[in-house]
Amino acid sequence: MPNSFESILLKSKQVFDSFFESYTAKLFSPKTRITEACLYSLHAGGKRVRPIFVINSFFEPNDLFSSEPFDTHQSVFLAALAVECIHTYSLIHDDLPAMDNDDTRRGKPTCHKQFDEATAILAGDTLNSLSFQLLSMMDANDPNLLRDSIQILHQGAGMTGMILGQMEDIEEEKNPSSNARESKLESIHEKKTGALITSSFLLGNRLRADWKEREFVLTRYAKEIGLLFQITDDILDVEGNLAELGKTPGKDAKAGKLTYPSLYGLEKSKLLRDQTLGKAISLAAELPSLHNEFFLGLPKYIAERKN
């Protein structure tokens, strides 16, 4: 059985991409300007990390490495696609002139630059609403599954999760707080980045029969992964370049955003990243009934990424 983190990561992305290509061809038909804009952003070359979190929170490796796991577990892949739609919508809106005003995303023109601002707004709206439709299409032998799944995704993406984090980020940029900046920074990023990451893990887990046994530790692990992801992002915005990042570096400092390097400095930010990496690895060892090769290897992969 393949047991390295790299092989599991690669296989997870392969099976999701296979499902994604076949399913979205039908989903975004007939062709319109809105579907073109949606597909443009969905095909912009993301790493698919959130769908991969959904997939690996459900599958054991022997199931994942079967020939076509989505033939018998389509609900998992519908949940994974729902998360990718939410994430892509958030990027489209985040790049808009009223938000971060960015021209480049994943090395390509942002949606509003490729099309126009109104089309980008509507494409984001489309992907947001579509994600909940995808959840509604899951097989639900458990009468509470659909309700729980919708709640999990909304908690990650909605007005108490990602959207609130975005709002707090904008408010902080316009009116920087004079005190309690550590707690403000933690609050922004726990919601803006971490909430949807946590939802991704919990959605895949909720589809398992033994989901209750794993939910507590998996939630703690997911929160450390979300924090690790954001600290690394903040460091990359300082040290990265356009070719590697696929987006404009240095924008956080120019905009006066509250980030880990702006508050703590680069060296302490790297120390915090390494401490969070260690916490995530320790929690991975506590996860019951999970193929720990993936969950043990994931924190290092996130901390060492270049984009």
Side-chain angles (χ1 to χ4, degrees), residues 46-270:
K47 296 183 291 296
R48 312 298 193 203
V49 291
R50 289 158 188 82
I52 288 170
F53 296 162
V54 175
I55 290 166
N56 282 280
S57 295
F58 177 82
F59 283 109
E60 302 292 345
N62 57 326
D63 297 321
L64 180 62
F65 281 84
S66 66
S67 56
E68 297 292 354
F70 50 79
D71 286 343
T72 52
H73 296 289
Q74 181 167 281
S75 292
V76 181
F77 291 88
L78 288 170
L81 181 55
V83 167
E84 186 68 0
C85 285
I86 283 280
H87 177 57
T88 303
Y89 123 72
S90 75
L91 299 182
I92 292 172
H93 282 192
D94 196 42
D95 290 332
L96 289 167
M99 300 282 279
D100 281 357
N101 192 24
D102 216 327
D103 295 344
T104 306
R105 171 68 66 178
R106 294 168 175 168
K108 297 180 180 180
T110 49
C111 189
H112 70 276
K113 286 294 181 181
Q114 182 70 17
F115 295 88
D116 56 68
E117 193 172 337
T119 303
I121 292 170
L122 292 173
D125 292 344
T126 300
L127 292 172
N128 185 8
S129 60
L130 178 61
S131 65
F132 291 94
Q133 180 189 352
L134 290 166
L135 291 185
S136 76
M137 297 162 67
M138 298 190 305
D139 293 330
N141 294 325
D142 178 344
N144 296 322
L145 175 64
L146 296 185
R147 180 203 66 191
D148 291 351
S149 297
I150 289 169
Q151 287 179 349
I152 289 168
L153 186 57
H154 181 260
Q155 286 166 1
M159 61 184 179
T160 60
M162 180 180 67
I163 288 175
L164 181 56
Q166 289 277 19
M167 191 74 255
E168 289 181 355
D169 191 29
I170 292 168
E171 290 174 335
E172 179 64 26
E173 185 180 335
K174 291 180 178 178
N175 298 294
S177 54
S178 58
N179 51 40
R181 289 172 66 79
E182 291 88 351
S183 60
K184 175 61 71 174
L185 177 65
E186 182 179 339
S187 175
I188 289 171
H189 293 313
E190 182 179 296
K191 300 178 184 77
K192 182 180 177 181
T193 302
L196 187 58
I197 285 175
T198 299
S199 290
S200 301
F201 284 104
L202 295 183
L203 274 174
N205 182 62
R206 182 59 185 84
L207 288 160
R208 289 180 60 113
D210 60 349
W211 64 275
K212 286 185 180 178
E213 300 169 23
R214 309 177 342 148
E215 188 177 45
F216 178 71
V217 177
L218 188 61
T219 300
R220 292 172 61 207
Y221 175 84
K223 288 183 176 180
E224 295 298 332
I225 291 295
L227 177 59
L228 181 61
F229 204 96
Q230 186 59 54
I231 297 173
T232 304
D233 251 11
D234 286 356
I235 293 169
L236 288 172
D237 188 70
V238 176
E239 294 189 328
N241 58 67
L242 178 60
E244 286 185 324
L245 289 178
K247 60 182 179 179
T248 309
K251 283 186 65 80
D252 290 346
K254 290 177 184 176
K257 285 186 178 290
L258 180 60
T259 67
Y260 284 88
S262 73
L263 184 61
Y264 297 111
L266 197 56
E267 291 309 310
K268 186 172 181 181
S269 296
K270 290 180 178 180

Side-chain angles (χ1 to χ4, degrees), residues 1-58:
M1 181 191 301
N3 59 6
S4 72
F5 168 78
E6 291 77 11
S7 65
I8 296 170
L9 181 70
L10 179 61
K11 182 63 176 179
S12 303
K13 187 174 186 304
Q14 286 175 341
V15 294
F16 176 75
D17 283 344
S18 179
F19 175 81
F20 174 88
E21 293 299 333
S22 63
Y23 203 83
T24 55
K26 298 176 288 186
L27 195 62
F28 291 98
S29 180
K31 184 178 179 181
T32 66
R33 185 169 176 80
I34 287 297
T35 60
E36 284 183 7
C38 290
L39 286 171
Y40 172 81
S41 294
L42 284 168
H43 282 105
K47 296 183 291 296
R48 312 298 193 203
V49 291
R50 289 158 188 82
I52 288 170
F53 296 162
V54 175
I55 290 166
N56 282 280
S57 295
F58 177 82

